[in-house]
Amino acid sequence: MTEIMRETDKQLKDMAERLRLCMLRDNMSELMNMATERRLSPRELLMFLFNKEIEQREINRIKL
């Protein structure tokens, strides 16, 4: 499935890259869709995204 990337999506991915939030950068669309489906508030959205990034970093740390 080909998806046209919005300019804001590209900017968000670029920001995630600069902040070294790799999991967020690589899964932005999926995570935003999940957050929308769950109707998260702005604070809940930040907690959700940061939690996902932390979880992935923990998984990566354990693998090493």
Side-chain angles (χ1 to χ4, degrees):
M1 172 167 76
T2 304
E3 194 175 292
I4 298 173
M5 187 181 296
R6 294 184 207 160
E7 183 59 29
T8 53
D9 292 346
K10 182 182 180 328
Q11 291 172 344
L12 287 168
K13 283 189 175 218
D14 290 344
M15 289 179 198
E17 174 71 27
R18 288 186 67 193
L19 293 169
R20 297 185 178 146
L21 301 172
C22 299
M23 192 285 308
L24 180 56
R25 177 202 63 210
D26 296 342
N27 299 287
M28 180 81 61
S29 295
E30 178 185 344
L31 293 170
M32 295 305 276
N33 288 339
M34 289 172 64
T36 300
E37 289 171 7
R38 295 178 186 187
R39 297 182 179 179
L40 300 180
S41 71
R43 283 185 176 87
E44 291 171 328
L45 173 60
L46 286 172
M47 287 184 63
F48 173 72
L49 295 174
F50 289 162
N51 237 352
K52 292 293 184 182
E53 186 70 34
I54 290 167
E55 287 173 8
Q56 186 60 52
R57 288 181 183 204
E58 185 64 19
I59 290 168
N60 293 345
R61 186 186 68 76
I62 291 169
K63 285 180 184 177
L64 292 175

